Amino acid sequence: MAAKQDPEALAAARPLLTDLYQVTMALGYWRAGRAHDPAEFELFFRQCPFGGSFALAAGLRDCVRFLRAFRLRDADVQFLASVLPPDTDPAFFQHLRALDSSGVTVRALPEGSLAFPGVPLLQVSGPLLLVQLLETPLLCLVSYASLVATNAARLRLIAGPEKRLLDLGLRRAQGPDGGLTASTYSYLGGFDGSSNVLAGQLRGVPVVGTLAHSFVTSFSGTEVPPDPKRSSQLPRSSPGPGGAGLPGCGSEAGQWRPATASPGDQRALPDHCSPVRFQMPWLESVPIAVSNNIDEEELARLAQEGSEVNVIGIGTSMVTCPRQPSLGCVYKLVSVGGQPRMKLTEDPDKQTLPGSKAAFRLLGSDGSLLLDVLQLAEEPPPQAGQELRIWPRGARESCLVRPAQVEPLLHLWVQQGQLCKPLPSLAESRAFAQLSLSRLSPAHRRLEQPALYQVALSEKLQALVHRLRAGASL
Amino acid sequence: MAAKQDPEALAAARPLLTDLYQVTMALGYWRAGRAHDPAEFELFFRQCPFGGSFALAAGLRDCVRFLRAFRLRDADVQFLASVLPPDTDPAFFQHLRALDSSGVTVRALPEGSLAFPGVPLLQVSGPLLLVQLLETPLLCLVSYASLVATNAARLRLIAGPEKRLLDLGLRRAQGPDGGLTASTYSYLGGFDGSSNVLAGQLRGVPVVGTLAHSFVTSFSGTEVPPDPKRSSQLPRSSPGPGGAGLPGCGSEAGQWRPATASPGDQRALPDHCSPVRFQMPWLESVPIAVSNNIDEEELARLAQEGSEVNVIGIGTSMVTCPRQPSLGCVYKLVSVGGQPRMKLTEDPDKQTLPGSKAAFRLLGSDGSLLLDVLQLAEEPPPQAGQELRIWPRGARESCLVRPAQVEPLLHLWVQQGQLCKPLPSLAESRAFAQLSLSRLSPAHRRLEQPALYQVALSEKLQALVHRLRAGASL
């Protein structure tokens, strides 16, 4: 994939954004003559975040951008040479220098899909050395994006469809593109926009405005702060059409609560957490908005029927996800050289599922989601209307299910380094996320103590797990 | 400041990494004819993080890099025009296009300094419109850097000086430079290095290695995984000097706990959280290291005397700071046109301190820290050995203090856009942080329920606060 096709390639994550151990392992594989062994990794999470029963898949567009631009430059390779043993064969560095993503194939859940534990968000296959190097950046690009999208989806479920939800978290993010990621994927997850201008410029997120205290405190005495969005109050330009030109927020520019006053200001406003109407004439037509430390509980209160609040800005608890600040995705080897691989541990939660796999979502006749099935890639897909024997994860017995519909979950996006089809736009993925959520049953969609959504294995996959486990304990 | 002086300028935060309201306010100032009013803002926090009594100041080097590169390009201004009212005077956009940091002056605590509530980390002065635009990016660059540095300092205090502490949090960060920021400033705060290769390349952080499960699981049957750091086991190159070439970790490459096995592997290793010696010959000489969900409590356990563990890798709880994922810094206007400004609220914690200020640290005769004093910039500095009347914040009465030493806290780094003196290297700031912490009394350094470190106002500053508050309530 040529970087020049993408104007944002310069902003893509750099290939050295990785853990040193990926490079050390790459050297190990290279020395063992295994650099080109065909390998497949799966990226997934083991537990849904925030105590819920679902997550939203997100971050694929950043992964594609990263792969597109993936290439170690001379300076990168020289740096690696400086941190690897001095007797490292120069041919290894030549190998690194020549790497690009042309051997990489990626299947993935479309962004905005519901994602459940153990179901791959990404399947990445290609030469062992190369796909090993991709582990850390892909985890970095998918985990937080999916966490934030899920956080936003939960807040949207609480607020209901009518309230305008705005991301204000940039200043509370882990540096610049922590903020960019949060603004992008909170929109995907169901927010209406962000204050982050760069997210508007680079990602097309609707950007929305407000005011800081300093704007009001910068005026003193009897000066009346002008409406910064309307020129009609000021002599230097003619009255305009009303300053309602912010995309994604119409006339709801969301100026809120400049609840302070400059010294000597006779119009001192009380600093309540609850929303107040303002005493500046140009603020009277603005919808009521609040933005002070809104978390899920406070949002639930504001969303109650009869509340006058119609615009809600969320900063810290949007971007930091304080209830669970990390999704904890993992990236695990499932096959090498066409042979399945499995991590065996005494902790059943940490055991991986071996082999190259396909994943399907089974639906009932009313379109509601029943469960997800993982099976070996070579198995025929489940058929609508046909009975299927499956092994729900964690269960000791199999059961039968007869889906009314069957949807394949993992789409082929990148084949041998080539993008196979255009990624949906951010707005399309956002709409898809809301559609996906609407098909989840209320029991699964519930945010507190939801019903567990089932993920099951096919009989063949279950048998493979058993066989490998038995072999290991011989 | 010319961007070309800095090879990393391209990686600097972009000027549109800001909240739209900063631009809306800029327009308001511009329309009111106040764009060039000389203004001063202070960036500070109101409460120390993690329940402690101190924070470490960090992020200044990223602020300087950002200011150096600050300039709105044509594409940036065009994007702003698309989100502001269509009747906005084109002259406003010309004004934006011409902006750079040549009018900006920055005083700041040196990185690695102890920082306390209300004492500015940064004082930023310049034309009102411009320094308003800097609010969000500066908050974004300072808040998380300081939070992570403080987190690292606490973990270092718990671990003691001998253990090697390594940051492994990249994959749990808020995207790429969330990870880069965490790796950089955890080192500043007292860690020994990071797995993040990019932090090594761009920031000079010592990078350190380990192994993933997939390295072991990729080998099968009776294959013995080779030591990826040593070529001597392999025929294709001659025995080297021992592969101990990782900067910052010597021979302690920190391979740890590949506590899994491939299917059929007879050498299956138990997956304990506690460290284990390995059964691969080349791992026997490696120091014992652990890295599984280490938080402050677990670290305290590992650091106990007699523990064999000597290398500790911390990922999620280093980078996400789960105990408090945001420092909550604010950026407040303290003067415009030479006149002090103050935010008055009913919540005394949210009240700001007016006026351009200086800050001093008072020390006892044994070199220990007594308290910090904020005073108006025009006041003469406190003198060592001379009695001083001060108003501790929150106290109703003044008191007298006689410091043995007095240190000015806020250094001039950037004057009218020019860097006045070179920033210390990251390693120098790291050493300074450890020195600073060593001067803090045990009662303040204690991590749980520490004594509160005093910040006090000079008599003149206290009087100004009173005068402005009285004026506002007339």
Side-chain angles (χ1 to χ4, degrees), chain A residues 19 21 83 87 177 195 231 246, chain B residues 19 83 87 177 195 210 231 246:
Chain A
D19 293 303
Y21 80 63
V83 295
D87 64 336
D177 65 12
S195 65
S231 55
L246 298 197
Chain B
D19 293 302
V83 296
D87 65 335
D177 66 12
S195 64
T210 167
S231 56
L246 299 198

Side-chain angles (χ1 to χ4, degrees), chain A residues 16 18-21 34 76 83 87 132 171-172 174 177 195 197 210 214 217-218 231 246 329 341, chain B residues 18-21 34 83 87 132 171-172 174 177 195 197-198 201 210 214 217-218 231 246 329 341:
Chain A
L16 288 199
T18 194
D19 293 303
L20 181 60
Y21 80 63
R34 304 189 50 198
D76 300 332
V83 295
D87 64 336
Q132 178 72 68
R171 65 187 60 194
R172 305 295 177 228
Q174 291 176 6
D177 65 12
S195 65
V197 182
T210 169
S214 56
T217 56
S218 85
S231 55
L246 298 197
C329 285
R341 285 290 184 273
Chain B
T18 193
D19 293 302
L20 181 60
Y21 80 64
R34 305 188 51 197
V83 296
D87 65 335
Q132 179 72 68
R171 65 187 60 194
R172 305 295 177 227
Q174 290 175 6
D177 66 12
S195 64
V197 182
L198 196 62
Q201 186 186 30
T210 167
S214 56
T217 57
S218 85
S231 56
L246 299 198
C329 286
R341 286 290 183 274

